[in-house]
């Protein structure tokens, strides 16, 4: 790994987090469609709304993260992508705005006609956004975004076989993830009826997403020359891992083991993105390699350092938030409990190895411009940040749990 490749790894992590977490949010809105107007339909809709409540804004942090790292570390590629693919990215932005607006006004609807209109906007915008983002990725993956300001075709760059296949796959995987997550949330809350309903949806959506992925393979093989290595090592290993994780997840859902299924579904989606990245390297865009696209060394160092410092705040915060969600602290009917007035001090045993890893990583990253020592420095720096974040998050969660007793 070189310094120029490090921000790309961070971008891939951000894309994976957004696909898994944000994709599930979009998918939850998908299940608002066709629920009917009776008490059962209302229960399904409200369960989806309630499950998204604590995290729906936090998940967009990853999209912002990807954009900032991309335009800072790879400005030429960023300009080329956002000028050629301005149409689908604009549609995705409109979809995010409409979706957020509909979610915010949902609680204020008083009449059935208002509720249907708001739910309709919420669902359709949640389908439009992942499709548009997937179509944009398809344009990049198929080599239809040349280097230069608006150098690609504004229509065929994102309305082509690969883009349409990936857009449909993005919608299908979002619905699949959401159904698995919602089934698990309902089971944790003791709502067996809702858990069974979303279990059936998860099984159906999983089969549909698998079929969409299989259908996309020949399309990509024929229409996307930059991904010609998708079926070779090591990208093929990632595709196989995705298929294995998806199959295992369906079996876990069938057995009603929703919590491990939650992680299996996430792994299946993450492996798809890893396979794309492995197949397309070392080029970002046609004729533009990662090394050529990267900004200067000072900018790259500042980017990595900024991400490392920001992670010290972001990772523990998100760990605490999702820890509370997964433990059911926001479930309906859970009584609020006062926090402890004087919590006992907690040790942070992971901080010592975190400081050691960070102290080793900083000089190696600053001194070396490539080779195994730079790779060791980057890994040490990120490991130090991860260990520190886990230590802080664990202490916060322990304090929260103590206060709840």
């Amino acid at each position: 790994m070189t310094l120029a490749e490090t921000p790309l790894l961070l971008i891939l992590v951000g894309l994976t987090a957004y696909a898994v977490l944000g994709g599930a949010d979009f998918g939850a809105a998908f299940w608002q469609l066709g629920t009917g107007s009776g008490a059962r339909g209302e229960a399904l809709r409200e369960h989806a709304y309630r499950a998204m409540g604590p995290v729906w804004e936090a998940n967009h942090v990853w999209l912002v993260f990807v954009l900032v790292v991309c335009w800072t570390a790879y400005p030429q590629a960023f300009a080329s992508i956002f000028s050629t693919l301005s149409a689908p990215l604009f549609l995705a932005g409109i979809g995010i705005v409409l979706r957020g607006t509909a979610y915010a006004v949902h609680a204020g609807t008083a009449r059935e006609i208002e509720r249907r209109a708001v739910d309709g906007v919420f669902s359709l915008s949640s389908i439009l956004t992942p499709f548009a983002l997937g179509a944009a990725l398809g344009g990049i993956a198929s080599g239809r975004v040349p280097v230069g300001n608006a150098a690609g075709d504004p229509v065929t760059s994102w309305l082509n076989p690969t883009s349409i296949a990936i857009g449909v796959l993005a919608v299908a995987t979002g619905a699949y993830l959401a159904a698995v997550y919602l089934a698990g949330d309902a089971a944790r809350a003791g709502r067996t009826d809702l858990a069974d309903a979303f279990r059936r949806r998860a099984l159906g959506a999983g089969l549909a997403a698998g079929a969409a992925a299989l259908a996309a393979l020949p399309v990509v093989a024929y229409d996307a020359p930059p991904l010609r290595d998708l079926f070779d090592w090591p990208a093929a290993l990632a595709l196989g891992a995705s298929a294995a994780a998806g199959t295992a997840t369906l079996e876990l859902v069938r057995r009603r083991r929703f919590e491990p299924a939650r992680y299996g579904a996430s792994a299946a989606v993450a492996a798809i993105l890893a396979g794309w990245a492995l197949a397309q390297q070392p080029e970002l865009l046609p004729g533009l390699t990662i090394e050529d696209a990267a900004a200067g060394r000072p900018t790259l160092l500042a980017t990595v350092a900024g991400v490392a410092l920001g992670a010290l705040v972001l990772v523990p915060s998100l760990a605490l938030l999702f820890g509370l969600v997964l433990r059911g602290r926001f479930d309906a009917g859970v009584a609020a409990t006062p926090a402890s007035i004087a919590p006992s001090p907690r040790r942070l045993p992971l901080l010592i190895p975190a400081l050691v890893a960070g102290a080793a990583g900083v000089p190696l990253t600053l001194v070396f411009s490539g080779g195994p020592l730079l790779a060791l420095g980057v890994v040490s720096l990120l490991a130090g940040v991860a260990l520190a974040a886990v230590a802080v998050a664990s202490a916060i969660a322990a304090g929260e749990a103590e206060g709840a007793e």
Side-chain angles (χ1 to χ4, degrees):
M1 177 186 291
T2 65
L3 182 60
E5 294 171 333
T6 303
L8 191 62
L9 177 62
L10 298 174
I11 290 174
L12 183 61
V13 171
L15 278 176
T16 302
Y18 190 64
V20 169
L21 301 174
D25 270 2
F26 293 126
F30 176 88
W31 297 116
Q32 304 279 343
L33 297 173
T35 55
S37 57
R40 177 177 174 79
E42 182 179 359
L44 291 171
R45 290 191 298 273
E46 289 304 316
H47 176 60
Y49 273 116
R50 190 182 304 113
M52 284 185 288
V55 297
W56 73 286
E57 288 186 297
N59 290 335
H60 287 298
V61 166
W62 297 109
L63 180 61
V64 176
F65 171 78
V66 168
L67 296 179
V68 171
V69 174
C70 184
W71 86 50
T72 304
Y74 309 106
Q76 187 178 15
F78 180 88
S80 302
I81 292 169
F82 273 73
S83 57
T84 293
L85 297 175
S86 57
L89 295 174
F90 177 77
L91 289 176
I94 291 296
I96 290 173
V97 171
L98 290 177
R99 181 178 181 276
T101 302
Y103 186 89
V105 303
H106 163 76
T109 55
R111 296 182 298 169
E112 180 66 16
I113 189 172
E114 295 175 348
R115 196 271 305 163
R116 289 186 177 182
V118 170
D119 286 351
V121 171
F122 185 59
S123 298
L124 294 177
S125 60
S126 297
I127 294 173
L128 171 66
T129 301
F131 177 83
L133 292 174
L137 289 180
I140 298 171
S142 60
R144 289 182 167 89
V145 182
V147 179
N149 183 31
D153 191 284
V155 178
T156 60
S157 61
W158 65 284
L159 289 178
N160 57 76
T162 299
S163 292
I164 292 173
I166 295 178
V168 170
L169 182 61
V171 175
T173 54
Y176 165 55
L177 287 169
V180 174
Y181 293 1
L182 290 171
D185 292 343
R188 184 188 59 236
R191 295 296 306 270
T192 306
D193 55 336
L194 295 178
D196 289 341
F198 282 107
R199 172 180 173 271
R200 291 191 294 271
R201 286 165 170 79
L203 292 173
L207 294 174
L214 289 175
L217 290 178
V219 174
V220 169
Y222 172 78
D223 188 61
L227 296 184
R228 57 186 176 275
D229 294 331
L230 186 63
F231 305 100
D232 296 331
W233 175 272
L237 178 62
L239 293 184
S242 177
T247 303
T249 300
L250 289 177
E251 178 61 19
L252 290 170
V253 171
R254 188 187 70 83
R255 297 184 180 185
R256 292 180 169 81
R257 298 184 61 186
F258 298 119
E259 287 307 310
R262 187 192 301 269
Y263 301 104
S266 303
V269 175
I272 293 176
L273 290 173
W276 166 48
L278 291 171
Q280 188 154 339
Q281 66 170 342
E283 288 191 342
L284 282 180
L285 299 176
L288 183 67
T289 65
I290 298 171
E291 297 290 337
D292 294 336
R297 179 176 173 81
T299 301
L300 296 178
L301 288 174
T303 301
V304 174
V307 170
L309 292 175
L312 291 175
V313 177
L314 178 63
V315 174
S317 301
L318 291 179
L320 175 60
L321 173 63
F322 284 99
L324 293 172
V325 171
L326 294 176
R327 289 197 297 271
R329 294 300 302 275
F330 298 115
D331 291 347
V334 175
T337 56
S340 174
I341 297 176
S344 59
R346 268 160 291 279
R347 295 181 179 179
L348 301 177
L350 290 178
L351 278 184
I352 295 177
L355 292 174
V356 172
V362 170
L364 290 173
T365 304
L366 292 175
V367 172
F368 296 96
S369 59
L373 290 178
L374 174 64
L376 178 61
V378 171
V379 171
S380 297
L381 185 60
L382 295 179
V385 171
L387 289 172
V390 170
V392 174
S394 300
I396 294 174
E400 188 274 337
E402 181 177 301
E405 293 177 354

